[in-house]
Amino acid sequence: MTEPIASRTFLGEMLESFPEMREPVEEKVRAAVELTGDPEDGDTVRTDVYGRLWDLFNDVLRPALAAEQGPERSEVLRRSFSFLERVAASPEPVVREFLGGLTGDYLIGEDGPVSYAHAGPEVRAVMVRACEDWGMPVPADWTSS
């Protein structure tokens, strides 16, 4: 059974799965605090699930989808889709909605076949709903499994 991710544990779980994201997140925290001088703004960055999920898509998943096939790419895709499967199983509708919104931007379309091949059942369901929500045809091979 996939252990769902809740918003209160999101950042810690993300950084555990993607240690390469630690420095970019901390840089955003530092920049937010420097901008306003208010340490609470750093906490806002840390607890912004949508923002950190967006970072994950842009900084980790998209480059992996675009990379040449190989063991490193396979490992990043495995970690990414394993983590996203846990996000899709979140008990919090808002966390699942964030994933749904970003799925429409990133996982369907050109990268859809590769994404679908690596996705688990929860993320696949999100991908099908995103196609429907965006008025895109759902590929026939996505509905046959």
Side-chain angles (χ1 to χ4, degrees):
M1 168 86 185
T2 299
E3 183 66 34
I5 294 177
S7 59
R8 66 179 170 67
T9 63
F10 183 87
L11 182 60
E13 304 253 1
M14 184 185 90
L15 294 178
E16 184 177 315
S17 295
F18 302 95
E20 63 269 35
M21 294 294 297
R22 187 170 306 280
E23 184 55 34
V25 168
E26 286 307 313
E27 180 57 36
K28 287 179 190 234
V29 168
R30 283 190 296 273
V33 172
E34 285 175 13
L35 183 67
T36 64
D38 186 350
E40 286 188 22
D41 287 334
D43 292 337
T44 300
V45 170
R46 287 184 189 97
T47 59
D48 177 11
V49 171
Y50 184 82
R52 298 306 61 83
L53 192 55
W54 190 87
D55 291 342
L56 178 63
F57 272 80
N58 278 296
D59 299 343
V60 177
L61 186 53
R62 285 187 82 187
L65 288 167
E68 294 292 322
Q69 290 189 16
E72 184 177 324
R73 176 185 187 242
S74 294
E75 175 58 20
V76 172
L77 291 175
R78 184 199 63 73
R79 285 187 297 136
S80 297
F81 283 100
S82 176
F83 182 78
L84 294 177
E85 190 71 10
R86 295 177 61 212
V87 172
S90 175
E92 298 172 60
V94 70
V95 173
R96 294 189 311 269
E97 288 168 13
F98 291 156
L99 177 60
L102 288 167
T103 295
D105 289 336
Y106 295 106
L107 297 184
I108 59 178
E110 183 179 320
D111 292 323
V114 174
S115 297
Y116 195 82
H118 286 86
E122 296 288 339
V123 173
R124 285 181 173 186
V126 170
M127 291 175 71
V128 168
R129 280 192 305 276
C131 284
E132 294 165 347
D133 291 348
W134 286 60
M136 296 173 66
V138 177
D141 58 336
W142 290 12
T143 57
S144 62
S145 53

